[in-house]
Amino acid sequence: MPKYQKDAEQLLKDIGGKENINAVTHCATRMRFVLNDPDKADQEAIDEIPSVKGMFTNAGQFQVIIGNDVATFYNEFKEIAGVEGTSQEDIKSVAQKKQNPLQRAVGALAEIFAPIIPAIIVGGLILGFRNILEGVDFGGATIVDRSTFWAAINDFLWLPGEAIFQFLPVGITWSVTRKMGTTQILGIVLGITLVSPQLLDANEVASTAAADIPNWDFGFAQVDMIGYQGQVIPAMLAGFLLAYLEIFFRKYIPEAVSMIFVPLFALLPTIIAAHVVLGPFGWWLGDIISNVIFSGLTSSLSWLFSFAFGLLYSPLVITGLHHMSNAIDLQLIASEVTSHTTSLWPMIALSNIAQGSAVLAVIYLHRGDKKEEQVSIPAMISCYLGVIEPAMFGINLKFIYPFVAAMIGSGFAGLFNNFMDVRANSIGVGGLPGILVINSQIGGGYLAFAISMVLAIVISFALTIVFRKRGIFNKEDREEPAPAIAADVAASGDIDLSSTEEGTATVSSITQGTTEKLFAPVSGQLLEITAVDDPVFSQKMMGEGYAVKPKSDKIYAPVEGKISSVFETNHAIGILTPAGAEVLVHMGLDTVELKGEPFTVNVQENDKVTADTQLALMDRKVVENAGKQTDILTIFTNGDQIGSLSMKDQKEVSAQEEIGSVEVFS
């Protein structure tokens, strides 16, 4: 019988049968389905299949995590189901067709903003620090008033702050061309023409008399020379026009002269349209959106609006609609009506704090569950620091009641926050660091936001405990877990314990563990696996492990062993160690879509490897230009045989350097 026949048959049944499969493919770790009716998939039943390590839905794809042996599982599944496989690009296209127009629009928005979010976060932190230096009164004077040094630091920090927020249109137009697969340098040039120093700064337009606004006089028409610093919608409209014009002209202009005429015919008309039509229209539309939202936040029903936003932001994260908030926040900050501030960002930060506090309550309720704590504690920390997904998907949605408790806590915190008219000068890191970007001159400032944070923490924590104790919203009601068996006891030899008392464990035939050395596969920054920006890895669905953010293209073996598999797109390599650990070396995130282009693999199946063996070369520039992350992951996929993982406490590592050890049980 094939290795996974029973599990594959069960998955086919639980997923809704062959007739419910529109398309199917796989990557290095998971099966990727596009289902005709996602509601027919019985997720609880799928979760019980032995080979399945987890599942989630993303961008219209229903993804089932199998692990290192996914290729074998996939081939057996195809035979049993009688379906043909689909390429990664085709399944992505099919998934997009299954989405409604709103989902596609939100997905496009997410793809545009995702690459520039790191810069926006850094900019938010910088402006938040400047806000403290120049905006907070300490005993009658600010820090910059008292210190020449800090005054100079404050002035210097405006350099990166201006680069990020004033020149934001450059990042947006570049990101649009990256998403559309067109020439990215043209997007950068287009963005520069929207914020050129030749133009009147967008922030000065409101205070400049109409007669004093410079213009281009073409004789038959005059066009205002206005810049679009910090504006989102004009930049997006111009970016998409540029991309579509380039795609259009590439179809009709001969390849021999396309390098000359395609950029000319795409870029020049776009620049003209941006300043004559798209820019003024985008500015007008942005003002309408800002006015409507600001009116809602300041009207007699502002309490209802703010409570609803705080309550529903977390569900928006599940649907992906929360990506729209980035564009709205930036539009609010660009508006004169709001005094260049936003009331939404503080409430988003409070939602993160509420979800993290609900996880904290779950940790308290389930204290002693060591396996769960491996996920819950890092998830709570990351949530408090602004990354909400691990807490939501790894813990709160699993039990439901903490998720609902956090929604309510976020709602009340948002209500109080808006009642005190707390606003942010920029968007930045959510969670607790969100206080850095709060405007200290408008409304309640830092103190009011600090009280809002306390409300989010206390209400979410308390309601989580109340809901658990009273069985409210409980998806999975559990007793307190039995105390974990200490690793040193497990490693001491065969044990036979038994008890009839509830809550104690029975263990038999525990085999002595073997410790194997771990090495850095590449030079760079060593990361906890929970810090990786992919829930499949960060939530340890695939197993324990670690990652390195590389500073080199040379990838070495992180363990001694034998090559067990090389994935067909070369982005992942399997290694079997002498003690039986199944190790997956995964190069980059979502790099399966690159079809092997950035990777040169130097090994093949059954080759013996050590820490000195160079497994592959990864062209980081190709990966980064494709909008992917370059993290090199080392994952132990046979979790039932993996004991404690010990890592040295260091940030920077060198390739082939010993960095820790792992215990493997046979």
Side-chain angles (χ1 to χ4, degrees), residues 295-309 415 418:
S295 296
L297 291 168
T298 56
S299 70
S300 58
L301 293 176
S302 62
W303 63 272
L304 179 60
F305 183 93
S306 55
F307 181 80
F309 185 86
L415 189 156
N418 192 57

Side-chain angles (χ1 to χ4, degrees), residues 512-516 577 579-581 638 641-643 662-666:
Q512 181 86 21
T514 300
T515 299
E516 294 192 313
T577 72
N638 55 333
Q641 294 177 244
I642 302 300
V662 65
E663 194 170 22
V664 185
F665 297 94
S666 57

